[in-house]
Amino acid sequence: MSLSLVAYDDSDSETETENTEVPNTSSKQASQPSSSVNCVQYFAPGSLGTKSTYEMQPTENMDCSGTSTACEDASEHYVQNNNADLTSPYFKSAYSGHIALCMSYKNYEQASSSSTNSGNVVSHKRIHKDSTTAIKGIRPYIPKRLRQENSSMPEEKECDQRENSDCDVKLGISGEQTLRKISELIKPYLGSKYKLTEVPKSLIFMSKHSGPVNEIQWCPVREQSHMLLSASMDKTVKVWDAVDTGCCLKTYSCHSCAVRAAQWSSCGRRILSGGFDSMLHLTDVETGKQIFSSKNEFRISSLKFHPTDSNIFICGGFSPEVKSWDIRTSKVLRVYKAALQQTLDILFLPEGKEFLTSTDAVSRDSADRTIIAWDFQSAAKISNQIFHERYTCPSLTLHPKESVFVAQTNGNYMALFSAQRPYRINKKKRYEGHKVEGFAVGCEFSPDGTLLVTGSSDGKVFFYNYHTARIIRTLSAHNEACVSTIFHPVLPSLLATCDWAGEVKIWQ
């Protein structure tokens, strides 16, 4: 005759509640000790002389929430020696460990059921949360939705780290003191209209990057227009005091590859930059903190802010897609699919309802998709039959007063177009004489609209009369290709130029 002993807790079994339809706080508290009573294990007695085997028989316990719980332990918690006494310390420790395991599993089930909705029917949603005591051999089920969320958390953390990281900023000689000053040379012109532009003749300042300069731009705020922005292939963006001293005020090293495009914000306090590392950075000018940072899907070659909403910008590059971004949400608003290879430049038309993109699509003897007009809101193509000649257009610029724009072509001339639909070309005017030869040579109008200036692949700067399309003057500015030229928005006859050797020069 074999005997069996029952191991149980001394808790009161009368505290169990019979109401299993609507759980409450008191019933959950009372169900914890009752569960330990029902978790029964049968031990083989050690008083018998014959050798006997133990058997583990878990019993099901219906708790207050209506779910059955099986308390089952591994075999190492039981005694295999038949001569051992049940009252020995070894049995007490084994049994207490068994109770702790049952209680921890019960606590895990109650934590999972605590997130259920109130009502007659109780639905259980398991929450993947490690308990304080690990249960060997038990891995809770994790729903597919939670697994996907957990897998995306490292990417979100990396994005947050990029957004919270700061730019490596190097302060210039006069740096912080001259960022927000108003130049004494600019003050007399702030309250008056822009005077007639004259052709600059003499060099007043010269600075240099360690790599080719892709783009330069004056600060759009008239009071702070002594600052000049430059983006270079040396992975840096620099701000210069190009009116008073010609010194570098700050250097921003946010990119890991060449910086292809950079733009001032309309307030003059932020700089938007994009480069061949496919990164977009919006940097605070004074602190160098990255206000907006995002990884793009392609290398960036062109950036433009919306003319009426400074929180929206458009970027294009080595992709058939052009994207518009919202800085406030750090998300893409619209995608403009051109089904072409690369976007060379972007130009917003007045009021920002339409914009133009120039691409490198040329088919045999025609480039009918070189310039494409887009509707900004609907992302629909308005026209792709604007320019029909077999040259690509590396840059576009808008006239400051008239509703026309100019396209720089690789045919060594600039073409004039109407900014109104259907964007017809002016066949009577053609600005030619300079050389492009594959460089991204930019062109720009003077603030009064009387002159059209462009660089050249031979390092010269050409000044054209807008009305007659004749060359007024040629300036031997650089030894390498001059890729960008721009007039000062306030000071008449002040011109900034840059070249492929990294030089930035100021002319007056």
Side-chain angles (χ1 to χ4, degrees):
M1 178 177 179
S2 62
L3 298 177
S4 62
L5 298 179
V6 179
Y8 62 93
D9 197 356
D10 293 333
S11 59
D12 189 5
S13 62
E14 295 179 358
T15 58
E16 295 181 3
T17 59
E18 297 178 356
N19 187 8
T20 61
E21 296 180 357
V22 180
N24 52 24
T25 305
S26 60
S27 63
K28 289 183 179 180
Q29 294 177 354
S31 64
Q32 292 181 358
S34 63
S35 63
S36 61
V37 175
N38 292 331
C39 294
V40 180
Q41 298 293 340
Y42 295 91
F43 293 88
S47 60
L48 293 179
T50 61
K51 184 178 180 180
S52 61
T53 60
Y54 67 89
E55 182 179 4
M56 181 171 60
Q57 300 178 357
T59 60
E60 292 188 354
N61 174 32
M62 300 299 292
D63 60 359
C64 61
S65 59
T67 59
S68 62
T69 304
C71 297
E72 184 174 347
D73 289 346
S75 59
E76 60 263 17
H77 291 292
Y78 303 102
V79 180
Q80 297 182 2
N81 187 9
N82 295 330
N83 297 325
D85 189 6
L86 290 179
T87 61
S88 64
Y90 179 82
F91 271 93
K92 293 180 180 180
S93 62
Y95 179 69
S96 62
H98 165 68
I99 296 298
L101 289 174
C102 289
M103 292 299 293
S104 63
Y105 186 76
K106 182 65 180 178
N107 294 336
Y108 173 78
E109 288 294 323
Q110 290 182 352
S112 301
S113 62
S114 62
S115 61
T116 56
N117 298 327
S118 60
N120 295 330
V121 179
V122 181
S123 62
H124 295 272
K125 296 181 180 179
R126 293 189 177 182
I127 301 176
H128 179 57
K129 183 177 181 182
D130 295 336
S131 60
T132 56
T133 305
I135 304 175
K136 294 182 180 181
I138 297 179
R139 291 183 62 184
Y141 171 74
I142 305 174
K144 183 178 179 181
R145 177 178 57 83
L146 293 180
R147 291 198 302 268
Q148 292 175 351
E149 291 179 357
N150 293 335
S151 63
S152 64
M153 285 178 64
E155 299 179 358
E156 294 177 357
K157 291 181 179 178
E158 292 179 0
C159 183
D160 294 340
Q161 290 177 359
R162 289 197 300 265
E163 291 178 358
N164 296 330
S165 61
D166 295 340
C167 239
D168 185 12
V169 181
K170 294 182 180 180
L171 194 63
I173 298 175
S174 54
E176 202 70 36
Q177 298 178 358
T178 56
L179 277 175
R180 291 300 158 201
K181 74 166 189 176
I182 300 178
S183 174
E184 296 296 332
L185 297 176
I186 297 177
K187 284 182 180 180
Y189 296 92
L190 293 178
S192 60
K193 293 183 180 180
Y194 187 89
K195 295 182 179 180
L196 182 65
T197 304
E198 296 180 0
V199 178
K201 300 178 181 180
S202 60
L203 175 66
I204 58 175
F205 295 121
M206 183 180 71
S207 303
K208 192 172 183 179
H209 277 267
S210 59
V213 180
N214 291 313
E215 190 172 6
I216 53 175
Q217 186 188 18
W218 294 101
C219 182
V221 181
R222 293 170 60 88
E223 292 79 8
Q224 312 296 332
S225 58
H226 65 282
M227 295 187 294
L228 179 70
L229 172 69
S230 61
S232 173
M233 300 287 283
D234 62 2
K235 309 177 185 179
T236 63
V237 176
K238 292 189 176 184
V239 176
W240 310 83
D241 183 358
V243 174
D244 294 324
T245 62
C247 298
C248 178
L249 301 179
K250 282 195 175 182
T251 302
Y252 306 92
S253 301
C254 301
H255 295 270
S256 59
C257 293
V259 184
R260 182 62 182 84
Q263 289 280 312
W264 287 98
S265 63
S266 59
C267 62
R269 298 178 181 177
R270 302 171 181 177
I271 296 174
L272 178 66
S273 60
F276 289 165
D277 58 354
S278 304
M279 290 299 298
L280 290 167
H281 294 298
L282 183 67
T283 309
D284 186 90
V285 175
E286 293 185 356
T287 63
K289 182 179 293 184
Q290 295 179 17
I291 303 171
F292 165 82
S293 182
S294 178
K295 178 76 173 180
N296 208 15
E297 297 176 356
F298 51 83
R299 291 180 293 173
I300 299 165
S301 61
S302 181
L303 292 171
K304 287 294 186 299
F305 273 104
H306 194 277
T308 59
D309 191 350
S310 60
N311 293 313
I312 297 175
F313 68 91
I314 287 184
C315 72
F318 292 78
S319 171
E321 295 181 349
V322 177
K323 296 182 179 181
S324 62
W325 290 77
D326 192 334
I327 297 173
R328 294 163 294 188
T329 60
S330 301
K331 294 182 179 179
V332 177
L333 290 179
R334 299 172 190 86
V335 177
Y336 308 86
K337 296 183 179 180
L340 300 174
Q341 297 178 0
Q342 180 184 354
T343 302
L344 302 178
D345 198 11
I346 300 173
L347 177 67
F348 270 103
L349 296 179
E351 299 181 0
K353 296 181 179 179
E354 301 171 2
F355 69 94
L356 306 172
T357 59
S358 62
T359 65
D360 62 348
V362 177
S363 58
R364 294 187 180 181
D365 296 334
S366 177
D368 56 351
R369 295 173 296 171
T370 299
I371 301 177
I372 303 176
W374 301 86
D375 184 87
F376 178 75
Q377 294 293 336
S378 64
K381 291 181 183 178
I382 299 175
S383 176
N384 61 355
Q385 304 291 325
I386 299 175
F387 188 56
H388 297 276
E389 300 187 23
R390 56 185 180 92
Y391 301 112
T392 58
C393 302
S395 65
L396 306 170
T397 186
L398 188 67
H399 195 277
K401 296 183 178 180
E402 298 182 11
S403 183
V404 294
F405 70 92
V406 166
Q408 180 81 270
T409 71
N410 277 309
N412 299 330
Y413 68 90
M414 292 179 288
L416 185 67
F417 297 86
S418 171
Q420 302 291 333
R421 299 183 187 180
Y423 316 106
R424 292 177 179 173
I425 187 172
N426 190 338
K427 297 181 179 180
K428 296 181 180 180
K429 288 184 181 181
R430 176 174 288 190
Y431 307 88
E432 55 186 347
H434 60 284
K435 297 179 181 180
V436 179
E437 296 178 348
F439 287 93
V441 177
C443 55
E444 190 73 26
F445 281 102
S446 61
D448 59 356
T450 58
L451 296 181
L452 178 61
V453 61
T454 179
S456 180
S457 61
D458 56 6
K460 296 181 180 180
V461 178
F462 287 78
F463 298 89
Y464 292 91
N465 186 303
Y466 163 66
H467 299 285
T468 63
R470 294 180 180 179
I471 298 176
I472 299 176
R473 183 180 175 85
T474 301
L475 183 64
S476 298
H478 300 273
N479 296 325
E480 298 290 336
C482 180
V483 295
S484 183
T485 58
I486 183 169
F487 279 101
H488 195 275
V490 178
L491 298 176
S493 307
L494 188 66
L495 180 73
T497 62
C498 65
D499 67 355
W500 201 245
E503 293 181 348
V504 178
K505 294 183 177 181
I506 310 299
W507 305 82
Q508 190 175 15

